[in-house]
Amino acid sequence: MIHRAFLCLAMVALGACEATNQVADNIARERAKSVVNTVVSERFPGVNAAPVTDCIIHAASAREIVRIAGASVTGVTPEVAQEVVGIAQRPEAVQCIAANSLTLLGG
């Protein structure tokens, strides 16, 4: 009986950790998106930044997202902007951006 109770408690704790991690990930992604939107808007004026931003965020690693999200507090440095541009040049980001551009153009 005690073993079962411990197992149930452990499962609840793991579920809570997973929920906390998901919340933290969502916050980091939202902050990173605001930074990436700023970089895309500055580097490519006139481009709809939102779909490009989504592609860049999707292509970024968790570590990169956290680093970029930090710039929402400290400000966008040239290094952060270069990191965003570098991620945008990865094959998966380029393919995503191209696919979204065609969709936006009705293609």
Side-chain angles (χ1 to χ4, degrees), residues 32-34 36-38 40 48-58:
K33 279 184 178 186
S34 71
V36 172
N37 262 330
T38 299
V40 170
N48 182 1
V52 174
T53 294
D54 289 341
C55 292
I56 293 169
I57 293 295
H58 183 70

Side-chain angles (χ1 to χ4, degrees), residues 3 18 32-34 36 48 53 62 66 76-77 86 90 93 97:
H3 185 270
E18 180 64 31
K33 279 184 178 186
S34 71
V36 172
N48 182 1
T53 294
V66 169
V76 180
T77 63
R90 292 180 185 161
I97 292 166

Side-chain angles (χ1 to χ4, degrees), residues 61-103:
S61 71
R63 181 173 289 163
E64 290 167 328
I65 288 170
V66 169
R67 241 186 341 261
I68 293 167
S72 71
V73 176
T74 61
V76 180
T77 63
E79 293 80 15
V80 170
Q82 189 56 45
E83 183 169 23
V84 169
V85 170
I87 295 167
Q89 294 172 346
R90 292 180 185 161
E92 62 270 25
V94 170
Q95 290 170 355
C96 177
I97 292 166
N100 281 331
S101 296
L102 288 176
T103 300

